[in-house]
Amino acid sequence: MNSEYRAWSRGCRPGVHSTGSGKVTEMSGILRAAVEGAGGDELSSMAMPESYRAAFVRRDDVGMFEGLDATDKDPRKSLHVGEVPLPELAPDEAYVAVMASAVNFNTVWTSIFEPVPTFGFLDRLGKESVWGARHALGYQVVGSDASGVVLRSGSLVRNWRPGDRVTIHCNYVDDQDPTAHDDSMLALNQRIWGFETNFGGLADVTVVRANQLMPKPAHLSWEEAAVNALCNSTAYRMLVSRNGAPVTQGDRVLVWGATGGLGSFAVQYVLNAGGIPIGVVSSPEKADLLRDLGVDAVIDRSAAGYRFWKDEHTQDESEWRRLGKDIRTLVGDDPDIVFEHPGRQTMGASVFVCKRAGTIVTCAATSGYMIEYDNRHLWMKLKTIKGSHFANYREAWDANRQVCEGKILPPLSSVFGLTDVGEAAYQVHHNLHEGKIGVLCLAPQEGLGIEDRELRERVGEDRITLFRRHDT
Ligand code: NAP
């Protein structure tokens, strides 16, 4: 047992955790050993548990919110925490003991069954292969981010072994599919782990393909390491990779939701590239946080009171113009790139304010996916709308390396226990959070898992914990 865990286990009951119903159960030997920092040989010699604790939605609950508006659909009612059976391991997969995970917006979508129930994805995967069939169950273990320790690797896994400390990205691809071999995000059956597959990361154990594994940043705690892969990799593809709209020095980049999950990584990439981010947020507190992150050009959209829509069907060009003027006042020019994800509410404005020949790069539509914009502003000014979705393994790896080297900071703002995952998802659903919400799974408390204290000191404790300190 290493000293960190020895210190923790004094004064608590190691190997014990709550199931969420207030019931306390014994943690299986191998999971306890992983928590205590056991090495690969010891982990390899121990039996895997037959079941594990996980956060899941139920197929039988799919109709439970029928007739309600999306905002009234409550993840606290549909997300359950309990024991589920451990699935068999395929030869190209690994079991990972999950120390911490994170809430992403896709867990909100799954838990409110919008825009479609995700069980359809599991059923399609179930028809693809014998191993795929494991996923089509009456429940779905959710979660698309995690940090943890490899417990077992299948016979086809070459680069990872028990005891390795990892983070997990969510691109789930079939390497026998020819369409996966240029850019794997172009694969016809590309999926997002924990959203379009089962056995996700909001659990004590997860099952992942070996090509989802990446090294854990050694200077971060488990929960700091767990909140990055999904949003960081997505922002990297959108603003760094040649597959997106790469920023060059001097570029002005309008970032919506600049202290949110995606936006907090996006502004860091713009700054690192020598660009000028214009960050949009919705409160003075978020504006302060953004300035502390190094962003000078900040727009508080609530204070500005933009009304891009006069009513449900009609947009107001004069309000787009007002935003454009505010941006020019702040940074002296129109944005070369617009980082889009709110969708229906903002797309008209995004297309309008983008610079002549600029790019609107979009990966989402939180406020509605039926988009309206004035096409004259797009074609007459030779602008481009570029679609983007998550990241291939190379992009996720390179984005993770930025975190490992301390060049991208984890925007962890608050931490919940797995049993409170419904509340955590509720907060993200209602935009009550900043940055990312971390979830402790096997890690018994915050702050564990840091190996490289020297790098942590060099990066700066204050910078690493910036979002956490703002939240408290
Ligand atoms: P998030 O943490 O909730 O942050 C989104 C931010 O957008 C909020 O903090 C909010 O900031 C801003 N926002 C929300 N509604 C808005 C509106 N109507 N107008 C202007 N700004 C608005 O979520 P996220 O993790 O960044 O994800 C955002 C979206 O991207 C979600 O729909 C998610 O599913 C999607 N996504 C897609 C991918 C992909 O690979 N395709 C990857 C990650 C996420 P303020 O209130 O401060 O302005």
Side-chain angles (χ1 to χ4, degrees):
M1 190 194 291
N2 68 27
S3 57
E4 179 184 61
Y5 290 96
R6 207 174 295 122
W8 149 68
S9 59
R10 277 196 297 268
C12 76
R13 295 171 61 206
V16 161
H17 62 206
S18 157
T19 61
S21 53
K23 229 168 66 186
V24 165
T25 58
E26 279 300 312
M27 194 188 289
S28 93
I30 189 169
L31 299 187
R32 184 179 166 185
V35 172
E36 291 172 347
D41 288 347
E42 192 182 339
L43 293 173
S44 301
S45 70
M46 300 179 82
M48 286 297 299
E50 285 177 8
S51 66
Y52 64 104
R53 194 179 60 136
F56 57 85
V57 289
R58 291 192 185 116
R59 195 184 284 265
D60 287 348
D61 286 347
V62 160
M64 71 191 286
F65 297 132
E66 238 163 59
L68 295 179
D69 285 343
T71 46
D72 295 328
K73 298 181 178 180
D74 190 339
R76 293 172 299 192
K77 297 190 174 141
S78 53
L79 278 172
H80 308 278
V81 177
E83 290 286 313
V84 296
L86 185 76
E88 202 182 332
L89 193 69
D92 59 349
E93 290 178 341
Y95 289 127
V96 176
V98 181
M99 296 298 158
S101 181
V103 175
N104 281 293
F105 217 98
N106 66 4
T107 291
V108 175
W109 296 127
T110 298
S111 64
I112 63 172
F113 310 108
E114 291 271 358
V116 290
T118 42
F119 286 99
F121 303 138
L122 304 188
D123 293 340
R124 273 198 289 286
L125 173 55
K127 289 187 188 124
E128 269 183 17
S129 68
V130 173
W131 293 111
R134 291 170 303 167
H135 293 254
L137 297 168
Y139 61 88
Q140 181 182 17
V141 178
V142 292
S144 302
D145 260 322
S147 66
V149 178
V150 174
L151 296 175
R152 287 280 190 286
S153 48
S155 57
L156 286 175
V157 178
R158 290 182 305 282
N159 301 332
W160 305 94
R161 50 177 71 92
D164 286 346
R165 294 173 155 219
V166 294
T167 57
I168 300 170
H169 76 76
C170 61
N171 187 13
Y172 186 90
V173 284
D174 175 356
D175 66 7
Q176 290 175 31
D177 175 354
T179 62
H181 281 269
D182 178 6
D183 166 7
S184 61
M185 286 309 299
L186 303 184
L188 294 176
N189 57 4
Q190 183 279 332
R191 293 183 165 87
I192 298 295
W193 157 71
F195 178 63
E196 292 160 297
T197 78
N198 216 321
F199 321 130
L202 284 160
D204 287 344
V205 179
T206 186
V207 182
V208 297
R209 288 194 164 148
N211 60 16
Q212 291 176 250
L213 297 173
M214 308 187 292
K216 172 189 168 288
H219 64 300
L220 299 183
S221 66
W222 292 116
E223 62 281 3
E224 289 163 350
V227 299
N228 306 305
L230 190 147
C231 284
N232 182 34
S233 311
T234 306
Y236 182 95
R237 184 175 171 109
M238 291 170 80
L239 293 178
V240 184
S241 167
R242 62 175 178 266
N243 290 316
V247 182
T248 55
Q249 48 189 303
D251 278 352
R252 275 82 172 143
V253 183
L254 179 69
V255 177
W256 292 103
T259 58
L262 287 170
S264 55
F265 290 104
V267 293
Q268 294 188 68
Y269 279 116
V270 177
L271 289 169
N272 289 0
I276 302 170
I278 306 109
V280 185
V281 290
S282 63
S283 72
E285 294 75 26
K286 288 182 176 181
D288 285 346
L289 171 57
L290 201 51
R291 288 192 191 95
D292 286 351
L293 197 55
V295 178
D296 296 328
V298 178
I299 294 177
D300 178 346
R301 65 182 172 101
S302 299
Y306 304 119
R307 292 180 63 87
F308 300 138
W309 290 80
K310 289 183 193 159
D311 58 48
E312 213 182 311
H313 308 287
T314 326
Q315 298 198 60
D316 185 345
E317 185 172 324
S318 69
E319 286 292 276
W320 299 346
R321 212 170 278 286
R322 188 156 72 88
L323 171 67
K325 206 170 150 211
D326 290 347
I327 294 168
R328 284 183 187 178
T329 304
L330 281 168
V331 296
D333 206 347
D334 298 329
D336 301 272
I337 299 168
V338 180
F339 185 86
E340 241 299 330
H341 51 88
R344 183 169 173 81
Q345 286 297 322
T346 54
M347 193 62 154
S350 293
V351 170
F352 179 82
V353 300
C354 186
K355 194 175 184 172
R356 183 178 283 265
T359 304
I360 302 99
V361 59
T362 176
C363 72
T366 315
S367 64
Y369 50 80
M370 295 305 283
I371 300 294
E372 278 177 39
Y373 61 88
D374 185 334
N375 203 28
R376 293 169 300 176
H377 295 297
L378 190 85
W379 95 69
M380 293 294 286
K381 294 190 178 155
L382 302 104
K383 305 178 189 184
T384 303
I385 297 176
K386 172 100 192 161
S388 192
H389 185 41
F390 189 60
N392 61 39
Y393 195 12
R394 177 60 191 266
E395 289 161 340
W397 187 278
D398 288 349
N400 186 58
R401 195 169 60 183
Q402 300 304 304
V403 181
C404 288
E405 293 176 358
K407 292 175 186 145
I408 290 288
L409 304 170
L412 174 74
S413 62
S414 58
V415 179
F416 285 70
L418 183 60
T419 49
D420 295 323
V421 69
E423 177 60 33
Y426 176 88
Q427 297 214 356
V428 173
H429 184 23
H430 291 276
N431 196 15
L432 303 173
H433 68 302
E434 287 164 347
K436 299 291 307 173
I437 295 183
V439 177
L440 294 181
C441 297
L442 286 170
Q445 65 183 48
E446 285 184 57
L448 301 177
I450 302 166
E451 292 159 286
D452 190 342
R453 296 217 169 254
E454 197 189 313
L455 175 58
R456 192 173 177 93
E457 207 170 300
R458 246 184 296 136
V459 176
E461 186 70 28
D462 278 7
R463 295 180 66 232
I464 293 171
T465 57
L466 178 66
F467 280 69
R468 191 85 181 96
R469 287 182 293 108
H470 263 268
D471 190 67
T472 46

